[in-house]
Amino acid sequence: MTAGIGFPLFLVFAWCAIGVFFGFFVSERRIPALLAWTGSLASGAALWAAVASLIGNGEFHRDLWTVRSIGTVTISLDHISAFFLLLAALVVLASSIFSASYLRRYVGHYSLCAFNCWYQILLASIVWILIEDDVLGFLVAWELMSISSYLLVNFEHRREGTKQAGYLMLATGEAGFLAVSVALLFLASRVGSLEFSGFRGSSVEIGRMAHWSVFLLTFFGFSVKAGLAPVNSWLPRAHPAAPANVSAILSGTILNLGIYGIVRVNLNLVPVRTAAEGSILLIIGAISALLGILYATTESDLKALLAHSSIENIGIVTLGLGAGIIFTAYGRPVLAGMAFIAAFYHMMNHSLYKSLLFLGAGAIDECAGTRDLDRLGGLIRVMPYTASVFLVGALAISGLPPFNGFVSEWLTLQTLLRSAELPSTVMRLVFVLCGAALALTAALAVTCFVKAFAMGFLGTSRSKKRPAKDASRAEVVPMALLGALCLLLGVLPTYVVPMLNRTLALIIDREATAALVPPFFSGSPAHGELPAAFVADFHNLGAQVGQFLPGRGLVLLHRGGTENPVVFAMSPSYACVALGVFLVLIWIVVRRTTARRTAVRRELWAGGIPRLLPEMTYTATGFSNPVRVVFQAIFRPGSMGDTRQTVAVHFRTAIHRQRRNIYPADSLFFYPLGDAVIWLARQFAGMHHGRLNAYVGYSLGFLLIVLILFRVS
Amino acid sequence: MTIAPPSHSPLDLEGLITLLNERFGTGISLLKEAPGLVVRVLDQAVLRAVSRFLFWEADGFFGGLIVEERFGEWTLQYLFLLRHIGWVDVVVRSPFAQKAIPSIVAEVHAADWYEREAEDLFGIDFEGHPRLGDFILHDETWQEHIAPMRKEFDAAVRNFEREPNQKWRPTLVVEDPGSFAMPVGPVYEGGLGEPIHFLLETVGEDVIREVPRLFYKYRAVEKIAEGKAVSDVLLLAERFSATSAFAHSLAFCQAIENAVQVEIPARASRLRVVLAELERLRHHAGAIEGICQSTALSVSEAHAAIIEEQLLRASAAFTGHRYLFGLNTLGGLQRDVEESGCRDLLRAIDDADSQLRILEDRLHYTSSFLDRLEDVGAISLENARDLDLVGPVGRASGVARDLRKACPYASYSEYSFDVPSEKEGDGYARLRVLFAEARESARLIQQAIASLEPGEISIPLDAPVSTVAFGWAEAPIGAALHGLRLDSQGRIERYRILTPSFRNWLGFHLAAEDFAFQDFPIILATFGLSATECDR
Amino acid sequence: MSFWFWNGLKRGIQSTRYPRLPETTPGVTPGRPMATTFASAEEAAHAASGCPVGAITAAGREALIDLRTCIHCQRCRFGGSPPVEWVNDFEWTQLARTQTSFEPLNRSFQRSLHIMVVDAGDCGACLREIKQLNNPLYNIHRLGLFFTPTPRTADVLLVVGPVTENMRGPLEKTYHAMPQPKKVVAVGTCAITGGVFGRTFASAGGAGMVLPVDLEVPGDPPPPLAILHGLLVLTGRKSLQLSQTAAAS
């Protein structure tokens, strides 16, 4: 099996190298095609490797070469890596195809040769991170990924604000990288090995304090990349600056890499086993989810909106991971398995629909000339295909059946409800609060994406420029591909859950599939998790239903514990069928009853004014203003100040209203930190007076301190 | 601009003349003329200073602007009403050739719409006015160069060149990328609201500013009156605004009666008080009904509606017309009333008065109703004085002006009554003023009917010739002024109606700024303004 | 705290019994001038000349009244001598002059008629009288008549006012926004002939100049019951009382 994985992995890097190489020789106009082809082939190869690894049982492991005095560079592809690789490959594939048409807008404005180069390096480094199995290689690949993604975000460097956004991204990313490096190198020094395989099982040896420090440092470092609160302010700034295809990769893959880091280090290498650590993940996840969706709802730049929504979704994933850790800590392995499955399911869903939405945002930007929802509108008439795939993405992210977002959010919420079985009252309270936050998040997500879709595609346009045409086929096809996957994952969760369970065997102690997808209508009724009588009843029912309904039950089930034996079950697949039948029925009834009527189209009734002007249609800001008003006191998503220009008291010539987003993390933490650093630098500036003797004195003093420290330790 | 402190000793006419002469010297010439003083502005450079002096320092009430086209030049007459002195007319003459006349808006904000109106209808340019054009003649319907009030414009000709301007769009002032304009009207509430187009500039729930677009009902009353006989124009005066038909016909008749300086019979003069107050009572009942409706308090709305309808029926039974049309005539009233009619009316008034008291009491103890009115659409005393708001709206903000007291007409000076006023200036204050005024009106009717003595109801009166006539009355909504110029055949040469609604609509946007969307109908209802009276 | 609901109930039913029983309360209608036979032709001519809007025409000893132009100035009643007779009724609705026959709306509208009003420049009286229809004394809901906020659901358009130039566009837009079948009723003298405002550069001189009017409810203003009668005629629940010729005479 291992040979079957090594070859496609080699192909990935080969195609990337070919892409970079030829990028220097073909003309700028040809580069989009080149990038699309090599990128698609490379991600196709990655897909091959991931699928091969997921289907096969063996773990791919290979030592590449040994560097003297440092160690062996090894690569390996276990199921977790393969799962992340699968998602990355899918997103990059879609994004690469999309680029074929999308990148043409830059010809003659920015250097596409450079773009191609960074893009291929980013793709290669992502794959490298996922397969790397030792600390040094991992850190190098991580840094390579950070820098190439920074360069890609910074691509439109002549546009206002791009440089600041890119710089912020780089700076916070590097801060996270430092924390991760310190933690991993510290671990390596303790364990005496740079290879990940050496880390496994070390958590007992290193002691509690060290374990906690490693956890906090790596969680901080990786959550910067994942975009968790409070270190998320780079994300909503970087996305609007980045080209759409890069945004899709950023949101669909690179955020996942942050999660990958947390999973790899904190769940796999040095597993965290205490409820305290789990609740940090849980609470941070809940806060990220709620803050993310609040900002998303009040945002009017479509890409910034999607970026905030990414924070929300990654928050939900982290929340699931935290719940899993807590359940593990309290000895509820099945529940923990459910939580991890829910988290990974949600991460997969997020990758798919978020990259779909980002590509859609790119298509809108390209055709309408703006991403500002306050100025968009009525695009469904000129962009019907883009509108329909965007609608699929919006429905999926809002958590509406029959799409995938529904399944994973349902699973996450249900798992949180099972916290009633936990023995600790405090922990139950934390779960209740986080569950409430998640429920509010889910509700606000609907508001947010109703706004995103309605303000973009419905109504009339508020901007001067009228879009002339729909997005090209190369743009719609990858979006449709992602949309189809969203539907598939939403309709067939009973096939996805076992797959996820198998994938997560490394971090799940007990099988959770049986609790989630019981083999009711077929298979054995003997079942450990459920009471026999209940299963027998269901089986009898299934025996009858199974005669005309297919499959492995197609029912997702959540059964309470002994104290709360309520069964929650749902079947997206049957629901989807029923929905289809109902829609057809309604259509038939409507057609029958209105067949003899003739409809007359008249002008829109507007109270008798000559015509409705674009300025008279609802804006995105107006739509979300109630949310802003309601949450103003708690979260301050934006602050407003009016300035009025008047000729006299009775005559206003202009009322300017300024609104700027204030991120609580920034205003509470980063701005004071920055001020403190500047203050500190001012204090030290006094030392630089140019006297040689003093400088020699400084050096001497420093040497002394180091010697003392060395002696003490 | 601050309000000048009231002068220590009240200014009298002689004192004013001395002061004006001191201040402006050769820039003006003064002429004592009933009912006050005429200030001829010889040097237009002092116009603004004179207006500022009369409005702010002498604490005058700005009555309005009357523009006339005579002998190839514009005559602009700015009316001020000064306490203890009476009407002071500031007259400016300007040849057609002069490009622009200095605008006094910077000094007297209340003059804003009057100058816009003159610019729109006459084509006079005002120098220093912040916004002109697109006012009465909507730019999407009328061409800019049409000036219907010019003498050469024939009102009967309909087939003039007209090219509706499709490109017209409103001026929006809120500069917020997320703001939008929510259009309401001109046909709204199923057409039961008067045609006004409101453009609410909003960012969602909060409305930042609102601009009313009026004059949908512009019927050119002032233009079509020209060349008509006085008795025909009387019909126009009472029919252009039915909610205060009697007040306007009264002001019109009194203008003629003032001009020929006749004393009308005491019975007619007292009956006029009865009818004017009956109209006020009925109007206020209707306005209260509107306020109750705006807060969706249905039982109170029905209560007020019954009071209004009963008063309408009482009016018809008393005079033969539900809206008191066809009663005023030059020199008195057209018909007399019988003793039994008076008794019936008194009974109806007593009934309406007691029902209104019951309603007020109930509303006063309904906290959900008060919550929606209090602090809604508040106008400060400074702003109310700045724009010289009149009627119940002004009085609710503390501008306690009332022509019935300030320059009494008919037989108001015979009776005792109060001019209620409040300080808060919010919706609830306006409602309280309406109730209090309704009570005062009932009291006045009782006093006036008690004082009726048998006698003549009118004296024969022929229309005067080649003269100027000026009359006033306190209409239910506020001060109504009618100015007339009659030609040598006794026909109307120029007819000018200065209405309270026109003045108060100018101040409406002060109340409609930074409010929640659901408060808009309440602000509108508590103002209780009439579009038809404003539009003419 | 006021017990609004209880207070409302306590007052009992105040609504008129019209159209089941005649309504004769004083003041519900101002009345109208009716054709009068004078002692001599001179007197009739004198009465005709006294009318400021020419609503009275003398035909021999008889003075004929055109309600379409009468503005209720009452000059023929009190100003001139001898007076023209007035009658206190209110069932004045008549066929529009441009129509030759009238077909009421079909049965389905009889107890569900949705009314849209457009104020096209009236003095406020006609609009006020239409509003009075909603008050408890007339309460047209009991007859299945409703005011509707949008022309999209309206069956009948009541036009008041002489149709000003600024309101002509909105009026036409409202009419076109209404679904078929639709009827137009001109309410008040101004909406019929322009009234005192006539036909000038700013006023079209009646709704008939702009829209196909079906029924006319004369009066300045017509009292609520006259408007109610018009609406009942429209649904076929009342018949036209004054024939075209009688109204003109």
Side-chain angles (χ1 to χ4, degrees), chain C residues 208-228:
Chain C
M209 299 291 180
V210 181
L211 299 178
V213 176
D214 297 284
L215 289 180
E216 291 171 350
V217 183
D220 192 16
L225 287 175
I227 302 165
L228 179 56

Side-chain angles (χ1 to χ4, degrees), chain B residues 378-415:
Chain B
I379 293 186
S380 65
L381 173 61
E382 286 74 27
N383 283 342
R385 168 69 185 116
D386 188 48
L387 294 185
D388 237 351
L389 299 185
V390 294
V393 175
R395 293 194 272 269
S397 294
V399 185
R401 282 216 177 85
D402 193 323
L403 288 181
R404 293 175 294 174
K405 287 271 192 207
C407 27
Y409 53 91
S411 54
Y412 275 110
S413 47
E414 295 175 22
Y415 311 117

Side-chain angles (χ1 to χ4, degrees), chain A residues 31-37 39-40 43 89-106 112 115 119 156 242-249 303 306 354-367 371 383 385-386 389-390 469-482:
Chain A
I31 281 189
L34 173 77
L35 185 141
W37 274 109
S40 313
S43 46
L90 281 172
V91 170
V92 175
L93 177 66
S95 164
S96 300
I97 303 174
F98 186 84
S99 308
S101 158
Y102 181 78
L103 281 183
R104 283 199 208 116
R105 70 205 306 243
Y106 295 115
L112 280 178
F115 184 91
Y119 187 89
E156 296 179 33
N245 45 357
V246 175
S247 280
I249 295 180
K303 279 177 88 174
L306 293 174
K354 189 48 65 65
S355 41
L356 159 59
L357 290 171
F358 266 119
L359 295 183
I364 291 173
D365 192 6
E366 193 182 359
C367 297
R371 296 185 310 252
M383 308 176 72
Y385 295 110
T386 310
V389 286
F390 195 91
K469 58 163 185 59
D470 203 345
S472 70
R473 203 180 303 162
E475 290 173 346
V476 174
V477 166
M479 290 194 273
L481 178 81
L482 293 168

Side-chain angles (χ1 to χ4, degrees), chain A residues 374 606-611 613 615-619 621-622 625-626 644 648-657 659, chain B residues 109 112 130-131 166 169-170 173-178 180-181 183 185-187 197 203-206 383 386 509 513-514:
Chain A
D374 282 333
I609 51 174
R611 71 206 153 95
L613 297 170
E615 298 93 306
M616 292 174 182
T617 49
Y618 236 89
T619 58
T621 310
N625 203 39
R644 275 146 210 263
V649 63
H650 66 289
F651 181 60
R652 304 244 183 276
T653 47
I655 299 175
H656 302 280
R657 194 159 252 224
R659 189 182 295 115
Chain B
H109 296 149
D112 184 348
R131 57 181 161 179
Q166 289 295 328
R169 48 182 57 225
V173 303
V174 176
E175 290 171 14
D176 176 334
F180 62 99
V187 181
H197 175 59
V203 281
E205 283 297 287
D206 340 299
N383 283 342
D386 188 48
H509 74 98
E513 198 168 65
D514 286 323

